[in-house]
Amino acid sequence: MSQPLLQVKDLCTSFDVESGEVRAVNGISFNLDKGKVLGIVGESGSGKSVTAYSIMRILVEPGRIKSGQILFNGEDIVKYSKLQMRQFRGKRVSIIFQDPMTSLNPTYTIGNQLREAILLHTDRTKEQANARALEMLQLVGVNDPQKRLNQYPHELSGGMRQRVMIAMALACEPDILIADEPTTALDVTIQAQILELMKDLQKKLGMAIIMITHDLGVIADMCDEIIVMYAGRICERGTADEIFYNPCHEYTKGLLRSIPKLDSKNERLIPIEGSPVDLTCMPAGCAFAARCDKAMKICLKQLPQEYWINDEHLASCWMNVKKVYDEAAKGGEA
Amino acid sequence: MSEHLLEVRDLKQHFPISTGWFQKTPLKAVDGVSFTIDKGETLGLVGESGCGKTTVGRTILHLYKPTAGEVIYNGTQITPANIGKFRRDMQIVFQDPYSSLNPRMTVSDIIGEPLDVHKLYSSKKERDEKIAHLLNLVGLNSDHARRYAHEFSGGQRQRIGIARALAVEPKFIVCDEPVSALDVSIQAQIINTFEDLQKKLGIAYLFIAHDLLVVQHISHRIAVMYLGRIVEIGESSEIIANPMHPYTQSLISAIPIPDPDTARVKKRIPLEGDVPSPLKMPSGCPFRPRCRYATDICAKECPSLKEAAPGHQIACHNPHF
């Protein structure tokens, strides 16, 4: 078992708009192993959702995958036909969206929508599909599931709707669940419920999860591995502990500094100054250089290369290269 | 008792909702809320969506006519008749920096409008100077005055919203989820701006938000709301360290902490079920159906706020320390 479940290789996704080409995702690569939880974190516009939509191939016009490979069990799904994709979605990889209010169809009952997914991807009969729908609702902890099957989305609360979305995504036992900001629209206590549920289900069903969020708290709670994205590129990739306790990219460091901590009342927050870059006119060097207080000349000119900090940690920041040179110079003097 | 800048006494806001033919049921969005805010103080107001936090903020400013209760500012009771006089002292910053700025107005029009309304300048030159000063105050460039709102990023727009509120030199600002629409790195910039302005100008804030990490950082005191009532109020460090109301306990245990080690060992106090509809309020304590400690008395009587420790009040029949 050396082959990862999902391999993304140098993926570029662009949107051609009037003012030019928006490189929403600009050459990212990562692997996802079976049964692991991968977190993708970044600000709005950093390309996290576009990455997810590219994997599902549900990009809206004028978005397109420009280059790169997405290998699922070694097969490149970028080359899949529409029909193949339809069989792939839901069965192999499922997605849940941020807003449970708008991602359910208001004109069909919950049961109807759940059944549709099951009938489409498995060869169950209608009765069996019904039983499966009921079972799924029980699994995600919806109270009174028999009654819910005949209800419409507007009759449920936000947390309940998100549970239904999860039930729908998991109904065909996918290998990967992509969760695109699954709790952002929910209250803290409901968010806690949903996160516990997802952790539980992940243990029970053994699927891999790609968790997309801007909330570092959610990431710390859920993920084995973390990808930090900025302006369509990966800044840093590593295990949760490495990213939180040994951040090696200036953006990650800034991000961790700028969140308030419990009992830090008198400490002043250290924000990242400036605003995110305009994706239509990307700088030649590191995209974060303009906001980085440690930026050097080379940062403005040349894109930083990926640099392995250790076996489980990768960062693209010139500071790491500088550190090596500095240490070498010190060693030379001594 | 005139030292408080603002005192809210038993404030109620009921909205009539039609529930059938010629049938109206009052939706009790705010149902008997009392608190005080001192000069230069920040009171954080937290709670889940639909608990009435925003309505409290707006009712204080008389953007909604209160159903009952009193709002006393600097010793004078505010009524719909005299609110005009107080508009200069009390301002609001809204949640969504995208929809709270008029897209057809330039920044100088947006910030200048309150100056025009209150006639706070004697010449065009003075008006321009004031606008430039306000922009600098919130960390924007005075060249930005001629641009339109759509030319700015979310964080910058929120700064424009803050500059507009500051234009009339208020003593008190209602901040209605001012950072929840912003990215983490920008959030910190805006929070710092609020803190700096408070230090410089001595403004008091009612800081409404659902993000407890942000609220505990910026507030001196915190009030926790549940279904239109305040269930716990006290010093912010005290509320975070020693929450006494079962709802606050769950709320605080549910905060996702951005630290993997803490996350691994943390025990959550799960809350079962959802918030009941405010149209069908449970009898007695509104939190009863979801409470772990509920007893018979909770179904009969609604608990009122009582002092549990110095400066720390809770509304619970069976407080757990």
Side-chain angles (χ1 to χ4, degrees):
Chain A
M1 242 305 284
S2 60
Q3 189 183 35
L5 183 63
L6 184 79
Q7 259 179 305
V8 175
K9 282 188 186 166
D10 209 21
L11 178 73
C12 291
T13 303
S14 288
F15 292 79
D16 297 306
V17 293
E18 263 174 51
S19 50
E21 182 188 351
V22 178
R23 294 183 184 163
V25 172
N26 203 349
I28 66 167
S29 310
F30 63 88
N31 295 342
L32 175 67
D33 287 324
K34 227 176 163 180
K36 288 277 186 226
V37 184
L38 171 76
I40 303 183
V41 64
E43 293 177 67
S44 34
S46 61
K48 359 182 246 306
S49 292
V50 175
T51 306
Y53 295 170
S54 303
I55 296 171
M56 289 296 277
R57 301 243 332 252
I58 47 172
L59 290 163
V60 202
E61 281 288 314
R64 65 192 163 95
I65 298 179
K66 216 172 80 181
S67 62
Q69 287 179 309
I70 301 168
L71 304 176
F72 180 83
N73 273 337
E75 257 183 84
D76 190 359
I77 63 161
V78 177
K79 297 201 177 79
Y80 272 11
S81 67
K82 269 191 179 164
L83 187 71
Q84 277 174 308
M85 261 334 277
R86 220 192 265 178
Q87 285 158 351
F88 175 80
R89 283 186 211 116
K91 198 169 184 184
R92 296 269 162 250
V93 183
S94 273
I95 188 164
I96 46 178
F97 297 99
Q98 170 173 1
D99 190 356
M101 318 283 167
T102 51
S103 38
L104 288 167
N105 189 331
T107 60
Y108 289 101
T109 61
I110 300 296
N112 206 320
Q113 297 184 54
L114 269 166
R115 249 189 336 257
E116 186 189 354
I118 299 165
L119 289 174
L120 207 62
H121 292 295
T122 58
D123 22 277
R124 288 189 170 89
T125 63
K126 225 173 162 190
E127 281 75 42
Q128 283 169 326
N130 241 341
R132 175 76 182 158
L134 193 67
E135 187 192 330
M136 285 315 295
L137 285 186
Q138 270 161 352
L139 186 71
V140 296
V142 171
N143 57 354
D144 211 352
Q146 190 67 55
K147 188 176 124 200
R148 302 287 178 207
L149 281 179
N150 297 318
Q151 280 184 326
Y152 289 89
H154 75 264
E155 297 176 78
L156 306 183
S157 67
M160 278 300 151
R161 278 179 231 182
Q162 198 57 289
R163 280 167 198 265
V164 170
M165 283 297 296
I166 295 175
M168 205 181 286
L170 297 183
C172 302
E173 295 171 4
D175 300 311
I176 301 174
L177 174 69
I178 300 177
D180 184 10
E181 306 255 9
T183 57
T184 310
L186 306 174
D187 283 312
V188 221
T189 55
I190 309 294
Q191 166 172 288
Q193 287 177 9
I194 298 287
L195 292 180
E196 286 297 322
L197 171 72
M198 287 180 65
K199 271 197 261 182
D200 254 20
L201 291 175
Q202 199 255 338
K203 261 181 229 148
K204 239 184 254 175
L205 309 175
M207 71 224 165
I209 297 181
I210 300 180
M211 184 89 185
I212 295 169
T213 175
H214 65 269
D215 189 333
L216 285 159
V218 171
I219 287 271
D221 197 5
M222 292 279 298
C223 302
D224 303 310
E225 211 183 324
I226 298 172
I227 288 175
V228 183
M229 284 187 77
Y230 188 78
R233 291 201 185 99
I234 293 179
C235 313
E236 192 164 7
R237 196 173 99 196
T239 57
D241 285 355
E242 279 287 324
I243 297 287
F244 275 95
Y245 301 129
N246 181 26
C248 289
H249 192 287
E250 289 306 312
Y251 175 63
T252 319
K253 287 182 197 169
L255 213 54
L256 288 170
R257 273 198 299 262
S258 65
I259 33 174
K261 296 180 185 63
L262 276 185
D263 296 326
S264 65
K265 266 230 66 166
N266 302 317
E267 280 170 44
R268 200 179 149 79
L269 295 179
I270 308 165
I272 304 177
E273 295 301 336
S275 4
V277 289
D278 181 358
L279 289 173
T280 49
C281 48
M282 290 274 279
C286 172
F288 185 61
R291 299 174 76 187
C292 181
D293 51 3
K294 293 219 172 87
M296 302 175 285
K297 268 185 202 153
I298 192 165
C299 301
L300 299 170
K301 282 186 214 144
Q302 210 177 330
L303 209 62
Q305 296 302 306
E306 288 189 340
Y307 180 84
W308 288 96
I309 310 294
N310 57 39
D311 290 350
E312 340 178 277
H313 193 170
L314 184 80
S316 302
C317 180
W318 283 116
M319 287 306 288
N320 297 310
V321 181
K322 183 174 180 279
K323 216 165 114 192
V324 175
Y325 274 108
D326 286 352
E327 270 162 24
K330 237 186 246 163
E333 275 165 32
Chain B
M1 277 288 285
S2 60
E3 68 236 70
H4 299 305
L5 179 71
L6 184 89
E7 189 173 353
V8 176
R9 277 191 210 150
D10 206 24
L11 192 69
K12 287 184 183 170
Q13 180 67 58
H14 298 178
F15 297 109
I17 301 285
S18 24
T19 42
W21 283 82
F22 305 112
Q23 194 188 340
K24 296 239 163 136
T25 314
L27 186 147
K28 296 178 179 172
V30 176
D31 204 21
V33 161
S34 309
F35 58 82
T36 59
I37 297 178
D38 291 340
K39 194 170 176 294
E41 188 192 33
T42 305
L43 176 71
L45 191 59
V46 293
E48 295 176 88
S49 40
C51 74
K53 352 184 246 307
T54 298
T55 312
V56 168
R58 295 190 174 187
T59 309
I60 289 175
L61 300 180
H62 281 60
L63 295 176
Y64 301 136
K65 189 175 167 289
T67 312
E70 297 170 6
V71 179
I72 296 156
Y73 177 80
N74 249 344
T76 322
Q77 189 180 341
I78 298 178
T79 59
N82 71 5
I83 179 67
K85 273 188 275 172
F86 293 101
R87 287 268 181 252
R88 249 198 88 176
D89 287 346
M90 305 160 93
Q91 285 291 316
I92 184 165
V93 174
F94 294 99
Q95 168 170 11
D96 188 355
Y98 293 86
S99 57
S100 56
L101 301 176
N102 190 334
R104 293 175 172 230
M105 286 162 86
T106 61
V107 169
S108 80
D109 291 338
I110 290 172
I111 300 175
E113 194 172 26
L115 297 174
D116 300 341
V117 170
H118 292 278
K119 304 189 178 63
L120 296 178
Y121 54 89
S122 50
S123 63
K124 172 100 179 35
K125 193 168 160 257
E126 195 188 340
R127 182 178 187 263
D128 289 344
E129 276 168 9
K130 279 200 166 173
I131 291 168
H133 171 69
L134 285 164
L135 284 172
N136 287 330
L137 205 59
V138 295
L140 289 172
N141 197 320
S142 44
D143 303 342
H144 289 150
R146 266 181 281 157
R147 297 205 207 156
Y148 288 89
H150 74 262
E151 297 175 59
F152 295 92
S153 68
Q156 288 174 317
R157 279 184 228 202
Q158 198 56 288
R159 288 172 195 269
I160 299 171
I162 297 171
R164 174 175 61 184
L166 290 175
V168 293
E169 293 161 21
K171 309 274 176 351
F172 170 66
I173 299 181
V174 173
C175 310
D176 188 4
E177 305 253 14
V179 296
S180 30
L182 306 173
D183 276 314
V184 196
S185 68
I186 309 296
Q187 241 181 36
Q189 293 176 6
I190 300 292
I191 292 171
N192 282 349
T193 306
F194 273 120
E195 286 182 335
D196 292 346
L197 290 172
Q198 186 166 56
K199 265 184 219 136
K200 226 185 269 176
L201 310 169
I203 306 170
Y205 297 126
L206 176 67
F207 198 94
I208 302 170
H210 63 269
D211 187 339
L212 272 156
L213 278 178
V214 169
V215 170
Q216 63 90 24
H217 180 86
I218 199 170
S219 311
H220 301 104
R221 287 188 303 139
I222 295 180
V224 182
M225 275 189 84
Y226 188 78
L227 278 180
R229 288 198 174 88
I230 289 180
V231 295
E232 185 160 6
I233 182 167
E235 294 288 324
S236 113
S237 50
E238 179 69 13
I239 297 269
I240 298 292
N242 294 315
M244 293 190 197
H245 195 281
Y247 176 64
T248 318
Q249 289 171 352
S250 289
L251 205 60
I252 286 168
S253 79
I255 311 175
I257 305 289
D259 181 78
D261 281 345
T262 325
R264 259 171 235 138
V265 292
K266 204 166 85 149
K267 275 269 171 292
R268 286 220 175 91
I269 308 169
L271 264 189
E272 294 301 321
D274 290 307
V275 186
S277 154
L279 280 173
K280 283 182 235 151
M281 288 268 246
S283 67
C285 173
F287 184 59
R288 175 179 54 85
R290 298 173 82 190
C291 183
R292 293 173 293 152
Y293 307 119
T295 52
D296 293 344
I297 185 163
C298 302
K300 285 180 205 132
E301 241 178 84
C302 181
S304 54
L305 271 179
K306 280 185 213 92
E307 187 118 353
H312 190 161
Q313 295 175 302
I314 62 165
C316 184
H317 290 301
N318 313 305
H320 283 253
F321 307 114

